Amino acid sequence: MLYRIGRSFFNRYPRLMTGLVGAVAKRVPLSVRHGKEFRETRRLLERSQWWSRARHEAYQLEQLQKTVAQAFEVSPFYRGLYGRAGVRPEDLQTLDDIRRFPTITKDDLRSHLEGMINPAVDRRSLIEFCTGGTTGPGVVIPFEESYRNRSRAFMWHLWENVGYQPHMPAAILQHRECPPEVNDGIWYEDKPSNALVLSAHRLSAKTIDRYVEALREHRPRVLIAYPSLAYLFSSYLKEIGFDEKLFDLVILGSETLYEFQRKSLEEVFQATVRIHYGHIESCTLFGYCEHSNVYHVQTEYGFTELLNDDGTPAAEGEAGEVVATNFGNRALPLVRYRTGDLAQPAAGTCECGRQYPLVEQIIGRKGDFIRTPSGATHSPILIEFLMDRVLLDGRDRFADLQIVQTQIDEILVRVVPGHDYHPEDVENFCRLLSRELDDEIAVSQETVAEIPRTDRQKKSLVVSRLDGP
Ligand SMILES: [Zn+2]
């Protein structure tokens, strides 16, 4: 497969991200607040980040065997699945043996969730999160509190590795509501969290000075944001010719980060930009380190495979689907879960000395690509690029936009008009899009009041209704 690609990223951990900031600032030691699992995982990661590749693999095999055996034991779904495939947990003697076991999909989760949940856990004590989904309804994933605390320890470890320190003053630019009676709803100070919360809703060319004022007054050292909002913010700052260092560090999550966005953020904020990748399903976690913009696959978190369509591992330069097995979610073992995300492995090891497998880039979700009748595949970065060109001189023209591929030769552009909307903006956009797709696809448009979000966490720019990969 040939993709037009750019460095990009998904992360669906918003609750954990902001939760960490709040927890630290309340000055209750995290180890007390988040219990034994948190402490033990922190201790493990302190050591394991310096393990050899062989030691990581031995740990992975041990955990993988445990997860597969547990899935087989507690879940009629897995017993049936493995029975039909003619495999048993004891067949798993090397890491490569895992490829004999069938993969599972989100559709399996939707249809067989009850048969997958461990009947031995107390259902009333479980915490549940709903996954997003552009291709259907989300799925509720149950966790024990201890598993969530384990995940927190991983996130905390990754944040620390990129320079986040406890009690560091932060600015948060996500989709948190600001009380309208305080500072005209533009910002408020969340004192317990030691954070300046900035409104995403009020951010515009007209209000940008107020944001700058608040940031100058509070001097947060880190910006915690969604990539699209951080980029929007940097664009407004650029427009007013702002040239002042606002943050040391920008930590992003929950959406794709495109290369042009990362460059703009580094330039405008004069800060280090870091991002992590994970899912609500909590099977896999990748993070940047202090030295590089290459993802390190956290091998203690779960077992991650990057697979070609024929099930073989993707080589360097190829794009493989992220297929992952969780370690330690006793409530719901997920073995070889197909995430639908495509990632590109990188060879070698990082200069930081850690021996984790590396991922060069996350290039999108399978359903997020546009295909043309002649067989070309275009990643959503194309759309971002075109939007950038159309919106050069103003950001209030489209309040929202989505591309839906309804047929191999038909695309619908849905637009929610912004304050400065003119019909020629969308016509211009459609014309550019059609040209980029070599005029092989008919591009039509509709203006709508709102774009329905089936995915709670991530904004999907492209929705493909075509079957197959
Ligand atoms: Zn590194």
PDB file of all heavy atoms in Angstrom, residues 62-75:
ATOM      1  N   GLU A  62       6.261 -13.875  29.124  1.00  0.00           N
ATOM      2  CA  GLU A  62       5.657 -14.286  30.404  1.00  0.00           C
ATOM      3  C   GLU A  62       4.263 -13.657  30.579  1.00  0.00           C
ATOM      4  O   GLU A  62       3.294 -14.325  30.908  1.00  0.00           O
ATOM      5  CB  GLU A  62       6.617 -13.805  31.500  1.00  0.00           C
ATOM      6  CG  GLU A  62       6.297 -14.200  32.916  1.00  0.00           C
ATOM      7  CD  GLU A  62       7.234 -13.424  33.862  1.00  0.00           C
ATOM      8  OE1 GLU A  62       8.480 -13.541  33.702  1.00  0.00           O
ATOM      9  OE2 GLU A  62       6.722 -12.667  34.699  1.00  0.00           O
ATOM     10  N   GLN A  63       4.161 -12.355  30.306  1.00  0.00           N
ATOM     11  CA  GLN A  63       2.879 -11.652  30.464  1.00  0.00           C
ATOM     12  C   GLN A  63       1.858 -12.107  29.419  1.00  0.00           C
ATOM     13  O   GLN A  63       0.666 -12.235  29.714  1.00  0.00           O
ATOM     14  CB  GLN A  63       3.091 -10.139  30.332  1.00  0.00           C
ATOM     15  CG  GLN A  63       3.931  -9.521  31.420  1.00  0.00           C
ATOM     16  CD  GLN A  63       3.272  -9.629  32.787  1.00  0.00           C
ATOM     17  OE1 GLN A  63       2.068  -9.404  32.938  1.00  0.00           O
ATOM     18  NE2 GLN A  63       4.045 -10.007  33.794  1.00  0.00           N
ATOM     19  N   LEU A  64       2.337 -12.344  28.214  1.00  0.00           N
ATOM     20  CA  LEU A  64       1.456 -12.779  27.125  1.00  0.00           C
ATOM     21  C   LEU A  64       0.857 -14.150  27.456  1.00  0.00           C
ATOM     22  O   LEU A  64      -0.343 -14.386  27.293  1.00  0.00           O
ATOM     23  CB  LEU A  64       2.283 -12.838  25.839  1.00  0.00           C
ATOM     24  CG  LEU A  64       1.582 -12.785  24.498  1.00  0.00           C
ATOM     25  CD1 LEU A  64       0.638 -11.597  24.411  1.00  0.00           C
ATOM     26  CD2 LEU A  64       2.631 -12.674  23.383  1.00  0.00           C
ATOM     27  N   GLN A  65       1.712 -15.060  27.945  1.00  0.00           N
ATOM     28  CA  GLN A  65       1.234 -16.399  28.321  1.00  0.00           C
ATOM     29  C   GLN A  65       0.175 -16.291  29.420  1.00  0.00           C
ATOM     30  O   GLN A  65      -0.850 -16.965  29.375  1.00  0.00           O
ATOM     31  CB  GLN A  65       2.411 -17.268  28.805  1.00  0.00           C
ATOM     32  CG  GLN A  65       3.305 -17.719  27.656  1.00  0.00           C
ATOM     33  CD  GLN A  65       4.612 -18.363  28.110  1.00  0.00           C
ATOM     34  OE1 GLN A  65       5.135 -18.025  29.180  1.00  0.00           O
ATOM     35  NE2 GLN A  65       5.158 -19.258  27.302  1.00  0.00           N
ATOM     36  N   LYS A  66       0.422 -15.396  30.360  1.00  0.00           N
ATOM     37  CA  LYS A  66      -0.518 -15.214  31.471  1.00  0.00           C
ATOM     38  C   LYS A  66      -1.863 -14.694  30.945  1.00  0.00           C
ATOM     39  O   LYS A  66      -2.929 -15.197  31.317  1.00  0.00           O
ATOM     40  CB  LYS A  66       0.083 -14.178  32.438  1.00  0.00           C
ATOM     41  CG  LYS A  66      -0.181 -14.462  33.882  1.00  0.00           C
ATOM     42  CD  LYS A  66       0.805 -13.682  34.730  1.00  0.00           C
ATOM     43  CE  LYS A  66       0.108 -12.633  35.555  1.00  0.00           C
ATOM     44  NZ  LYS A  66       1.052 -11.855  36.371  1.00  0.00           N
ATOM     45  N   THR A  67      -1.810 -13.692  30.064  1.00  0.00           N
ATOM     46  CA  THR A  67      -3.050 -13.089  29.546  1.00  0.00           C
ATOM     47  C   THR A  67      -3.846 -14.096  28.712  1.00  0.00           C
ATOM     48  O   THR A  67      -5.068 -14.203  28.847  1.00  0.00           O
ATOM     49  CB  THR A  67      -2.737 -11.838  28.686  1.00  0.00           C
ATOM     50  OG1 THR A  67      -1.930 -10.957  29.446  1.00  0.00           O
ATOM     51  CG2 THR A  67      -3.993 -11.128  28.264  1.00  0.00           C
ATOM     52  N   VAL A  68      -3.155 -14.840  27.844  1.00  0.00           N
ATOM     53  CA  VAL A  68      -3.842 -15.805  26.973  1.00  0.00           C
ATOM     54  C   VAL A  68      -4.455 -16.925  27.827  1.00  0.00           C
ATOM     55  O   VAL A  68      -5.605 -17.322  27.614  1.00  0.00           O
ATOM     56  CB  VAL A  68      -2.871 -16.368  25.906  1.00  0.00           C
ATOM     57  CG1 VAL A  68      -3.505 -17.529  25.156  1.00  0.00           C
ATOM     58  CG2 VAL A  68      -2.471 -15.271  24.922  1.00  0.00           C
ATOM     59  N   ALA A  69      -3.702 -17.400  28.805  1.00  0.00           N
ATOM     60  CA  ALA A  69      -4.218 -18.470  29.671  1.00  0.00           C
ATOM     61  C   ALA A  69      -5.447 -17.980  30.431  1.00  0.00           C
ATOM     62  O   ALA A  69      -6.459 -18.685  30.540  1.00  0.00           O
ATOM     63  CB  ALA A  69      -3.126 -18.922  30.644  1.00  0.00           C
ATOM     64  N   GLN A  70      -5.376 -16.744  30.896  1.00  0.00           N
ATOM     65  CA  GLN A  70      -6.504 -16.191  31.650  1.00  0.00           C
ATOM     66  C   GLN A  70      -7.726 -16.003  30.741  1.00  0.00           C
ATOM     67  O   GLN A  70      -8.849 -16.342  31.116  1.00  0.00           O
ATOM     68  CB  GLN A  70      -6.107 -14.850  32.269  1.00  0.00           C
ATOM     69  CG  GLN A  70      -7.086 -14.394  33.318  1.00  0.00           C
ATOM     70  CD  GLN A  70      -7.214 -12.875  33.381  1.00  0.00           C
ATOM     71  OE1 GLN A  70      -6.525 -12.140  32.661  1.00  0.00           O
ATOM     72  NE2 GLN A  70      -8.094 -12.411  34.221  1.00  0.00           N
ATOM     73  N   ALA A  71      -7.503 -15.497  29.539  1.00  0.00           N
ATOM     74  CA  ALA A  71      -8.611 -15.299  28.600  1.00  0.00           C
ATOM     75  C   ALA A  71      -9.305 -16.635  28.321  1.00  0.00           C
ATOM     76  O   ALA A  71     -10.530 -16.743  28.332  1.00  0.00           O
ATOM     77  CB  ALA A  71      -8.085 -14.695  27.297  1.00  0.00           C
ATOM     78  N   PHE A  72      -8.499 -17.654  28.098  1.00  0.00           N
ATOM     79  CA  PHE A  72      -9.024 -18.989  27.792  1.00  0.00           C
ATOM     80  C   PHE A  72      -9.820 -19.538  28.984  1.00  0.00           C
ATOM     81  O   PHE A  72     -10.895 -20.122  28.828  1.00  0.00           O
ATOM     82  CB  PHE A  72      -7.834 -19.914  27.474  1.00  0.00           C
ATOM     83  CG  PHE A  72      -8.229 -21.236  26.905  1.00  0.00           C
ATOM     84  CD1 PHE A  72      -8.543 -21.356  25.556  1.00  0.00           C
ATOM     85  CD2 PHE A  72      -8.282 -22.376  27.704  1.00  0.00           C
ATOM     86  CE1 PHE A  72      -8.911 -22.583  25.012  1.00  0.00           C
ATOM     87  CE2 PHE A  72      -8.656 -23.603  27.168  1.00  0.00           C
ATOM     88  CZ  PHE A  72      -8.961 -23.709  25.815  1.00  0.00           C
ATOM     89  N   GLU A  73      -9.297 -19.281  30.157  1.00  0.00           N
ATOM     90  CA  GLU A  73      -9.917 -19.849  31.362  1.00  0.00           C
ATOM     91  C   GLU A  73     -11.249 -19.176  31.699  1.00  0.00           C
ATOM     92  O   GLU A  73     -12.229 -19.840  31.996  1.00  0.00           O
ATOM     93  CB  GLU A  73      -8.927 -19.672  32.519  1.00  0.00           C
ATOM     94  CG  GLU A  73      -9.352 -20.375  33.797  1.00  0.00           C
ATOM     95  CD  GLU A  73      -8.495 -19.900  34.968  1.00  0.00           C
ATOM     96  OE1 GLU A  73      -7.269 -19.704  34.756  1.00  0.00           O
ATOM     97  OE2 GLU A  73      -9.055 -19.695  36.064  1.00  0.00           O
ATOM     98  N   VAL A  74     -11.285 -17.838  31.620  1.00  0.00           N
ATOM     99  CA  VAL A  74     -12.478 -17.143  32.122  1.00  0.00           C
ATOM    100  C   VAL A  74     -13.513 -16.834  31.049  1.00  0.00           C
ATOM    101  O   VAL A  74     -14.655 -16.540  31.378  1.00  0.00           O
ATOM    102  CB  VAL A  74     -12.104 -15.815  32.843  1.00  0.00           C
ATOM    103  CG1 VAL A  74     -11.096 -16.062  33.950  1.00  0.00           C
ATOM    104  CG2 VAL A  74     -11.590 -14.767  31.865  1.00  0.00           C
ATOM    105  N   SER A  75     -13.134 -16.907  29.773  1.00  0.00           N
ATOM    106  CA  SER A  75     -14.041 -16.373  28.766  1.00  0.00           C
ATOM    107  C   SER A  75     -14.519 -17.418  27.760  1.00  0.00           C
ATOM    108  O   SER A  75     -13.730 -17.985  27.009  1.00  0.00           O
ATOM    109  CB  SER A  75     -13.319 -15.225  28.029  1.00  0.00           C
ATOM    110  OG  SER A  75     -13.791 -15.106  26.713  1.00  0.00           O
TER     111      SER A  75
END
